[in-house]
Amino acid sequence: MESMSEPRDRWMTASWLAACLGLAALVTTGPAWAATDIEAGRRTYESVCAVCHGATGRPDPGNPVVQAFDPQPADLSDPLFNSREPAGDWELVVAHGGHALGLSPQMPAQGEVLTGQQVRDVVAYVKTLVDTSGYPPGEMNFFLPVRTKKAFPEDEVVWKSRYSGQDGDDEIRNVLEFEKRIGKRGQVLLEVVHEDDGVDSEIAEVEIGYKHALAWSLEKGSILSGAIVLAIPTDGDEPEEVIPYLAYGRQLSDEWVFQGSARAILPTDDAGDGELELAGVVHYQWTPWPRHVFGGLEFTAVTPFDDDGGDRVKFTVVPQLRIGLTRGGHVALNLGVELPLSDQSYDYRAHLNLLWDFADGSFFKGW
Ligand code: HEC
């Protein structure tokens, strides 16, 4: 088999590199954020919005208009809240009303009264109500990929289910993941991994970790994070693993988004036994409305550090769909099929992820 696999591996390496180069070429464009006039936005805010949202963005609890709202309008001058919501989402809310994104209809649609430019200006002004420079902007909160690690720190619960089709002994792996933001740019995570191979069905592993947004640029539409995860197997005979990774995201153009990550998986008893995993994905975001189906194409490459056993880089491709379920997209499905491009222990893997961004409200809101 050796003589067969060598040219094929080389071909795979070449196509992987070609894909990366193609992406690099796209990277030069960046997002084309529309120009805005903050001063015009301030005037609109004061005449239209301040009556409900307060002059500073914090609704006045003594105001009977405000008291009548259920739920209360959020505090737009809270830097965490202000930074985490992308301006594009707020433009939809302002133009089409709260209902359009699953929020309260008491937030009125202004699309008949304000022009598209006035909507962009007033949202740009709202973004200046508080200094959010220490917080990663919500514009960089890209879709969760199937395999690539995400850079943006989140408040999220994700259920990840993976079905591996392989000769005779299919396997199901379920992961429940809890992510919570801490501080301005940090996030902790907890994962419980359950495995069922038809013989044993057990909690196989628990993972704890911390992610930190290292750098970002709203102009370039990019974000870089570093993280470290400790994986603790429940079987005491197996080694723990330390998994440091870097995750990068970049808006390539108005419609295309690239995300990539590099993970080192290091068994604590012998780090030399570990492996390096590279993953990259592009998503096509053809509409700003979250409740739609979005396609993505992902590649992974895994290589052991110690390759004298003849092991080589293993590649997979993962075509996938992101399906926004709620009007605001805070509950979404992620479906993908992972296909080996080189020898793997499995024939295919079906991935199903259900995610709930709990910072945007209850699971049942906005369906
Ligand atoms: C009649 C009162 C009223 C007016 C006028 C109003 N809003 Fe609102 N707004 C609300 C309420 C109530 C909510 C809370 C909706 C919810 O959380 O379900 C809200 C929510 C919002 C949100 C938060 C969306 C989110 O992600 O949670 C933004 C941003 C916003 N309004 C901006 C504006 C801007 C800008 C204007 C002026 C162009 C404006 N609003 C005018 C009542 C109003």
Side-chain angles (χ1 to χ4, degrees):
M1 285 311 285
E2 191 67 6
S3 57
M4 295 275 294
S5 68
E6 248 180 284
R8 197 176 142 182
D9 274 354
R10 250 183 261 135
W11 185 84
M12 289 304 165
T13 312
S15 44
W16 173 253
L17 282 173
C20 293
L21 287 175
L23 283 168
L26 278 169
V27 160
T28 46
T29 26
W33 308 120
T36 50
D37 180 342
I38 308 264
E39 187 46 33
R42 183 184 62 76
R43 288 193 299 272
T44 305
Y45 184 85
E46 284 169 2
S47 63
V48 184
C49 326
V51 44
C52 297
H53 285 284
T56 61
R58 182 197 299 265
D60 171 8
N63 176 347
V65 177
V66 172
Q67 283 165 0
F69 293 133
D70 179 27
Q72 293 284 300
D75 180 358
L76 301 172
S77 68
D78 168 33
L80 178 60
F81 178 75
N82 189 301
S83 64
R84 80 192 319 160
E85 304 296 337
D89 283 12
W90 279 1
E91 287 163 11
L92 293 177
V93 170
V94 173
H96 302 276
H99 180 76
L101 283 196
L103 302 173
S104 158
Q106 289 174 314
M107 165 65 208
Q110 307 287 343
E112 306 272 289
V113 190
L114 304 177
T115 65
Q117 187 60 46
Q118 284 176 311
V119 170
R120 284 190 290 278
D121 291 346
V122 75
V123 168
Y125 172 69
V126 169
K127 286 278 177 191
T128 66
L129 286 172
V130 59
D131 176 11
T132 57
S133 53
Y135 297 78
E139 280 76 1
M140 263 86 263
N141 189 356
F142 303 123
F143 291 158
L144 178 71
V146 170
R147 292 284 312 275
T148 307
K149 294 293 155 188
K150 199 171 150 164
F152 196 80
E154 296 248 56
D155 284 328
E156 198 161 73
V157 175
V158 190
W159 170 53
K160 298 188 269 193
S161 191
R162 185 185 83 190
Y163 180 89
S164 305
Q166 51 206 32
D167 267 350
D169 49 353
D170 295 355
E171 196 184 88
I172 302 177
R173 179 182 152 104
N174 278 295
V175 180
L176 192 63
E177 182 177 20
F178 174 76
E179 298 178 333
K180 180 86 189 82
R181 281 186 72 158
I182 55 167
K184 291 184 178 177
R185 42 166 86 192
Q187 176 221 286
V188 285
L189 78 90
L190 174 68
E191 272 192 18
V192 180
V193 181
H194 183 271
E195 283 175 355
D196 185 343
D197 61 4
V199 182
D200 294 312
S201 170
E202 58 183 10
I203 304 250
E205 194 172 278
V206 173
E207 294 189 5
I208 50 171
Y210 175 74
K211 180 162 81 184
H212 196 80
L214 299 169
W216 58 82
S217 156
L218 188 56
E219 289 70 41
K220 293 195 184 118
S222 64
I223 180 167
L224 176 71
S225 291
I228 184 139
V229 174
L230 178 65
I232 307 157
T234 49
D235 177 348
D237 291 341
E238 287 188 28
E240 277 120 42
E241 287 168 341
V242 177
I243 309 171
Y245 69 82
L246 286 174
Y248 174 74
R250 163 120 202 207
Q251 178 112 31
L252 301 173
S253 68
D254 287 349
E255 280 145 359
W256 292 93
V257 173
F258 168 78
Q259 296 177 77
S261 63
R263 293 205 302 163
I265 298 155
L266 311 169
T268 47
D269 60 346
D270 181 4
D273 233 10
E275 55 189 28
L276 178 69
E277 178 201 272
L278 299 177
V281 61
V282 280
H283 275 108
Y284 178 49
Q285 254 179 287
W286 55 279
T287 165
W289 289 95
R291 187 157 69 175
H292 274 105
V293 178
F294 302 90
L297 189 63
E298 189 168 26
F299 288 92
T300 77
V302 177
T303 180
F305 292 136
D306 167 16
D307 64 353
D308 44 55
D311 283 332
R312 285 160 196 287
V313 188
K314 291 182 174 177
F315 297 92
T316 71
V317 58
V318 197
Q320 58 199 266
L321 293 177
R322 146 92 181 203
I323 305 170
L325 297 178
T326 51
R327 270 175 276 145
H330 82 302
V331 178
L333 264 184
N334 206 4
L335 306 174
V337 181
E338 184 162 12
L339 303 167
L341 294 176
S342 40
D343 286 346
Q344 293 279 9
S345 60
Y346 56 88
D347 302 324
Y348 69 92
R349 279 179 166 166
H351 295 263
L352 181 154
N353 299 338
L354 178 66
L355 50 126
W356 164 39
D357 182 346
F358 61 82
D360 279 353
S362 112
F363 186 87
F364 301 102
K365 180 172 132 181
W367 285 77

